[in-house]
Structures are given as C-alpha cells and as structure tokens.
Amino acid sequence: MAQLDRAGQAMKLESFTLERMRHPKRILTVSVPVKMDDGSIKVFEGYRIQHNMDRGPAKGGIRYHPQVSLDEVKALAFWMTMKCAVVNLPYGGAKGGVICDPKKMSKGELERMTRRYTAEISIIIGPEKDIPAPDVNTNEQVMAWMMDTYSMTVGYACPGVVTGKPIEIGGSLGRREATGRGVFYVTRELAAREGFDLSKSSVAIQGFGNVGSNAASIFAEHGAKVVGIADVSGGLYDPKGLDLRDVMEYRKTRESVSGYPKAEHVPVDKFVEIPCDVLIPAAMENSITRANADKVKARYIVEGANGPTSNEADAILQKRGIQVVPDILANAGGVTVSYFEWVQDMQSYFWSEDEINARLRHIIVGAFTEVYDLAKKEKVDMRMAAFMVGLGRIGKAVSIRGMYP
Ligand code: GLU
C-alpha cells in the first residue's frame, strides 16, 4: 500500500485507478479438509485472491507455507498485477496460498490437499479467468495435480488452467529456469547500463528454491563469481567464489548447506551483509529491513523474491546510493514464460527452448530499458519507475473500460 501511494502521488494517478488498485477484485477463502495418513481429518485454510482483471485474466502462483496469511496473499496478488503490467503481459494479478507445512506432509497428503484446494477454488479459476502457477513450496507435480483435478471436473484435458506444468502435459521448455534466467538478464543489462563488468563482479544469492538455485547456476554458467549462497539453514561465503557444482552435489544428499566444509558459514540473518557487488534476495518477503539495510555491502540489489525489501529499508538503501532492481521487474521472467506456456497450450503448438529464451530476453530487456530510462529521466529509483510504468498501463485500461454500471 505504501509503495502504491508513493507512486500514485508522484505520477498523479487518477484517484479512480488508485482507489481500484487498493482493493482486490475478489477474495475467496476456502476450507480444505484432508484425510491424513494416520486416518485423522485435518482442515487447512486456503485462499485465492484475484487482485485485478482489467488487462486480462488473473495470473499468479500458489504458495504452501505455515506463514501464509490473507494479508500476505493480498500483497502478493497486488504485486502480480503490477508485475504483469510492467512487462506488458495481457494479464491481471492473482495469488493463492494454503496455510500448511509441506515439509511435514507426505506426498499422499500433499496430493489430497492440492486436489481438494483446487476443487474448492475451481469456481473462480480457468484458462480464460485465472491461471495459477508454482510459488514457494509448490512445483511441477503440484501443478500436474491441479491440472488433472480441474480437467476431471470439466471432462476434458485442460492444460491452460495452470502454468509451470510438467512438459508431458503441456508445460513449456524453459519455464523451470525462467525466473532465475530473467534475474540474470536483468542483472546483465544493469551491468551494461551502469558500466560494470559482471564477469569481474561478485554475486551473493539468498534462497535455494526454484529462483535462487537456477539463478546461481545461470550466473555461474555465464562466468560470474558467486561468492555467497544461502538456504533456510544458513549461508555459505567464499570471497574467491564458490564451487557451485560441489555445493549442489553436497546439498543433494543432505537437503541443506549446513556442514559444507569448503566455505565460511554465515547465519541466515547476517547473509545480506556479506561483501559482494550484487546481492540477490531470492527467498521470502522482508529479508532486508530497517534492522540490516545500513549493513548491506552490495552496490546493487536485484530482487529475485517478491517483496524482499521492506518499505523502511528501501528508503535507507536509496539514501546510501544502493540501487535496487525491484521484484516486479527483476523476477518477472517466471510469469513471462508462464504466459508463453499458456499461449502454447491455447494453440496446442509448442516452441523450442531457444525461441522461448530469446522471447524472454526480448521482453525482460525491453522492460528493464523502459524502467531504467524512466528512472533516469524522472530522477527516481527503479521501484518508483517500475510502478509508474505498470500503473500507467493499468490506469489506461481502467479508464478506457470505464466503470460498470
Ligand atoms: N509465482 C511466480 C511469481 O511470483 C510465478 C507466477 C506465474 O507464473 O503465474 O511471479
């Protein structure tokens, strides 16, 4: 809300649009009863929020996490509306979540929860209405169960109802790596515009989920020096650069980096303070806050996660001259390839991985250029510029459509 107000005021956004953006279009809360492996019944609480649908169907992921809350899902749905507008995809924004701890659930329990949750939200989702995708703790398998459940109720295979699916049932090549790849394209473009050499720069990546792990591999592949990585158990730091293949191999058997012998260990809450040129928070919200923003040593922050920088931290970073490429631009690669997946599903015609990556690069670099140039022209930070670009598009759509009735 604070971000929206700041940008709305700066660009003198019509109060009609600003007011509309403050309120999600639809909020659905569902009870998800699940038969657990021990025979008991547990009822989980789930949400699906469609924030805005003025520019097209709603789009956004599904999160499974103990800390999911209605407020969190609202903020995430709002950011999806902004993200799709910044990269100019013909979508509005949505988000869903279930309060649960997937790490403590069996595969069977997860499948039953996913299927019942999908059935409960099936009254508002659909390929022309609202298209879920993976987010924190959901993956291709979860999307396959969602696609299957929805398809069973409509009576035919309906791949376009979710994105981030396995290739065998209408998924897209390149989707799994897309968010990390987008983060890389944005950072490379930033380096070109700011005049620093990415191959001589040090990069630290917080988060080892889909975004962080793929970003780490892609940066390393392109010769960047990854000096730090972190998962929920803690971080690793080596100023000479980590041997990522070795770390990943180690992590495969233990599911965490803790105990890795060939690097310095950094506690989770100190990770954003390690020395590096580019810091990529790719874990959860609020990892950079008022408490640590003045200890960040990076010159640039590229937000792989949604909302990793609190509003207060943003002001501190700006004062310190640390440039932030905002989430709604930096991590938009995921939803961009989700859009490609949906287009391919609707046409039942599939593209090559090279074509997907080239189109992804084109969209991400184009959006970055627009935001970067606007930030320079208006003398604002990139978050403000991204909001201006996104809100400009949404504002036009809202006012052309007018208000019903
Ligand atoms: N969960 C991802 C995000 O926050 C992807 C959403 C999508 O592909 O629809 O952008």
Side-chain angles (χ1 to χ4, degrees):
M1 282 289 175
Q3 290 175 348
L4 174 63
D5 286 347
R6 204 158 66 93
Q9 265 166 21
M11 66 187 286
K12 301 194 173 59
L13 190 69
E14 265 185 328
S15 61
F16 173 54
T17 307
L18 190 62
E19 211 37 44
R20 289 279 303 273
M21 290 296 285
R22 280 181 203 281
H23 303 280
K25 178 180 173 68
R26 276 186 199 116
I27 297 180
L28 179 63
T29 302
V30 294
S31 295
V32 186
V34 178
K35 189 176 263 173
M36 306 304 279
D37 290 345
D38 65 4
S40 67
I41 304 285
K42 202 164 166 180
V43 181
F44 296 89
E45 183 157 303
Y47 312 101
R48 183 69 183 172
I49 299 183
Q50 296 169 341
H51 172 265
N52 182 278
M53 299 169 86
D54 281 301
R55 300 179 60 258
K59 187 87 191 77
I62 306 279
R63 176 174 293 201
Y64 289 170
H65 198 274
Q67 256 109 48
V68 162
S69 70
L70 191 58
D71 272 347
E72 182 195 45
V73 182
K74 272 189 200 169
L76 291 164
F78 163 74
W79 281 321
M80 285 310 302
T81 302
M82 295 303 306
K83 196 184 298 187
C84 293
V86 171
V87 288
N88 207 6
L89 306 178
Y91 285 142
K95 203 82 176 194
V98 179
I99 307 170
C100 65
D101 191 349
K103 300 213 162 77
K104 295 196 181 121
M105 293 168 72
S106 70
K107 191 169 177 192
E109 290 169 341
L110 273 175
E111 174 171 358
R112 293 192 291 279
M113 185 182 81
T114 300
R115 288 186 180 280
R116 183 60 185 254
Y117 169 69
T118 307
E120 294 295 340
I121 65 166
S122 69
I123 53 172
I124 61 166
I125 64 169
E128 266 115 31
K129 299 191 280 189
D130 177 359
I131 307 116
D135 196 76
V136 174
N137 291 330
T138 56
N139 55 21
E140 291 172 16
Q141 177 63 76
V142 173
M143 294 306 116
W145 291 326
M146 292 190 76
M147 177 271 192
D148 183 66
T149 305
Y150 187 86
S151 298
M152 286 296 113
T153 48
V154 293
Y156 53 88
C158 187
V161 67
V162 290
T163 58
K165 298 177 296 294
I167 303 289
E168 294 77 5
I169 54 169
S172 176
L173 294 167
R175 174 63 187 87
R176 193 183 299 160
E177 303 81 14
T179 315
R181 193 173 292 282
V183 169
F184 171 72
Y185 288 152
V186 156
T187 314
R188 189 167 63 180
E189 212 50 32
L190 176 76
R193 299 297 296 266
E194 289 283 302
F196 68 90
D197 184 350
L198 194 54
S199 67
K200 294 201 179 80
S201 306
S202 54
V203 181
I205 302 170
Q206 179 195 42
F208 222 95
N210 172 274
V211 184
S213 61
N214 282 300
S217 305
I218 294 166
F219 273 88
E221 232 169 72
H222 287 83
K225 191 165 70 167
V226 181
V227 295
I229 51 165
D231 61 22
V232 279
S233 74
L236 300 177
Y237 173 63
D238 184 346
K240 296 195 295 299
L242 294 158
D243 178 351
L244 279 178
R245 218 169 273 163
D246 194 51
V247 176
M248 298 219 180
E249 205 50 49
Y250 179 90
R251 210 176 169 275
K252 239 189 231 156
T253 46
R254 295 163 184 84
E255 302 254 313
S256 114
V257 296
S258 83
Y260 180 74
K262 296 177 214 158
E264 191 184 317
H265 284 256
V266 188
V268 177
D269 59 333
K270 292 274 180 281
F271 187 79
V272 300
E273 301 169 21
I274 66 173
C276 60
D277 298 307
V278 182
L279 173 66
I280 301 176
M284 299 286 281
E285 296 94 86
N286 293 326
S287 56
I288 307 173
T289 64
R290 190 168 44 188
N292 58 16
D294 55 354
K295 300 193 194 94
V296 169
K297 303 202 179 47
R299 283 189 297 148
Y300 300 96
I301 294 176
V302 181
E303 296 183 331
N306 292 314
T309 311
S310 77
N311 211 36
E312 296 94 342
D314 230 2
I316 299 170
L317 296 173
Q318 206 187 348
K319 221 176 270 160
R320 294 186 56 212
I322 297 170
Q323 292 207 52
V324 180
V325 185
D327 46 8
I328 54 172
L329 170 63
N331 72 34
V335 72
T336 300
V337 178
S338 273
Y339 166 59
F340 298 159
E341 180 174 333
W342 177 78
V343 170
Q344 293 171 85
D345 289 338
M346 300 305 252
Q347 300 182 342
S348 298
Y349 180 75
F350 291 86
W351 314 343
S352 72
E353 190 159 359
D354 284 347
E355 188 170 354
I356 284 156
N357 289 343
R359 284 178 192 259
L360 170 64
R361 192 177 59 234
H362 178 77
I363 288 186
I364 293 292
V365 170
F368 176 85
T369 306
E370 191 174 6
V371 168
Y372 187 88
D373 289 346
L374 186 68
K376 286 275 174 285
K377 181 166 162 258
E378 299 290 332
K379 297 188 176 53
V380 294
D381 61 43
M382 276 186 267
R383 189 181 316 280
M384 174 71 92
F387 266 72
M388 287 171 148
V389 169
L391 286 172
R393 288 203 178 103
I394 297 159
K396 279 198 194 112
V398 167
S399 78
I400 292 167
R401 284 184 59 159
M403 197 167 66
Y404 173 88

